[in-house]
Amino acid sequence: MNLILLGADDLTSQDHARVTDPRRLRHLREVHRASVGNEMTLGVEGGLIGRGRLERLDADSAEFSLTLDRQPPAPLDVHLLLALPRPRMLARSLEHVTALGVKHITLLHTRRVEKSYWQSPELKEDKIRQHLVLGLEQARDTIMPTVTHEKLFKPFVEDRLPALMTPASGTPPRGIIAHPGMPNECPRAVREPVILAIGPEGGFVDYEVEKFMAAGFEGVHLGERILRVETAVTALLARLG
């Protein structure tokens, strides 16, 4: 926990906070080994980052005086279209993606995604939020990503994806699909908005690739090695950023 992320309920005034949930209190005691007078990095969800001085710590709460004076880090201008991974991999992927600065995540059903994955408890709103919070705390960020679910591939690529590719305002994004066997290497340090599509274990099927290409996406690869989804996600986002 490189940042203690505060919610609106934690704020008792503009410059004072009280933390009561067991996870953060346990981290303060066992990892930070915090004591009264210590200063650490805090931030308010959706808001500023700064320093907090620990004024009181007991079994039930920790109280901080706050000096919040910095903006969170700039987001990564990538909308990630991620074929729904298996539940354990989903948890890690959400944390990594959030730590890298992605603010728009669409979990997508594709041919090789097991339908049972959509019934996983990991897709419950509170579970997803837990992983997003861990990613923000790791990266010292406060802006929560949005996560949407698209359980039907064809309606998404035919009806909703075109609107994402041709926004009413702003710079149109560059569509990129990462898939083994594509002709071009993944570009580096892209300075325009990107919509990045990443398939499941085993990749997209030909029909799905064709649909993305018809929507204006370009196909890229990461070299000859076949990577696990969570590794590929991190590698692709690091290159694009």
Side-chain angles (χ1 to χ4, degrees), residues 55-135:
E55 304 290 355
R56 182 171 178 269
L57 178 63
D58 58 30
D60 300 317
S61 67
E63 297 186 13
F64 294 90
S65 56
L66 305 175
T67 303
L68 304 177
D69 53 7
R70 303 197 311 275
Q71 294 292 332
L76 187 63
D77 200 355
V78 174
H79 183 157
L80 177 63
L81 309 180
L82 180 63
L84 182 65
R86 65 186 65 211
R88 185 176 298 178
M89 190 179 294
L90 171 64
R92 293 193 296 265
S93 296
L94 288 174
E95 292 174 24
H96 295 165
V97 165
T98 303
L100 287 166
V102 173
K103 299 304 176 187
H104 301 285
I105 305 165
T106 296
L107 300 176
L108 181 64
H109 186 75
T110 66
R111 183 76 58 83
R112 292 191 172 117
V113 170
E114 294 286 344
K115 292 182 179 179
S116 61
Y117 292 174
W118 291 101
Q119 308 305 316
S120 169
E122 291 293 336
L123 281 173
K124 292 184 178 179
E125 185 175 349
D126 60 334
K127 292 291 289 184
I128 285 181
R129 178 179 169 80
Q130 287 176 22
H131 298 303
L132 301 181
V133 166
L134 290 174

Side-chain angles (χ1 to χ4, degrees), residues 131-195:
H131 298 303
L132 301 181
V133 166
L134 290 174
L136 293 178
E137 291 174 341
Q138 173 64 38
R140 290 187 174 179
D141 194 355
T142 62
I143 307 302
M144 189 68 67
T146 60
V147 180
T148 57
H149 300 173
E150 291 288 350
K151 298 183 179 181
L152 298 173
F153 178 83
K154 186 176 180 180
F156 172 73
V157 295
E158 292 186 351
D159 301 334
R160 288 180 285 284
L161 185 57
L164 295 176
M165 292 292 287
T166 55
S169 61
T171 304
R174 179 176 178 178
I176 294 175
I177 176 174
H179 188 69
M182 289 296 180
N184 300 316
E185 288 190 9
C186 180
R188 298 176 184 271
V190 176
R191 292 294 173 253
E192 59 197 304
V194 170
I195 300 180

Side-chain angles (χ1 to χ4, degrees), residues 5 10 12-13 18-19 21 28-29 31 57 62 66 69 163 188 206 210-211 226 230 232:
L5 186 65
D10 297 319
T12 56
S13 69
R18 184 171 184 264
V19 172
D21 73 281
L28 283 169
R29 294 192 189 94
V31 178
L57 178 63
L66 305 175
D69 53 7
R188 298 176 184 271
D206 290 345
E210 291 166 4
K211 282 292 189 181
I226 304 300
E230 60 188 296

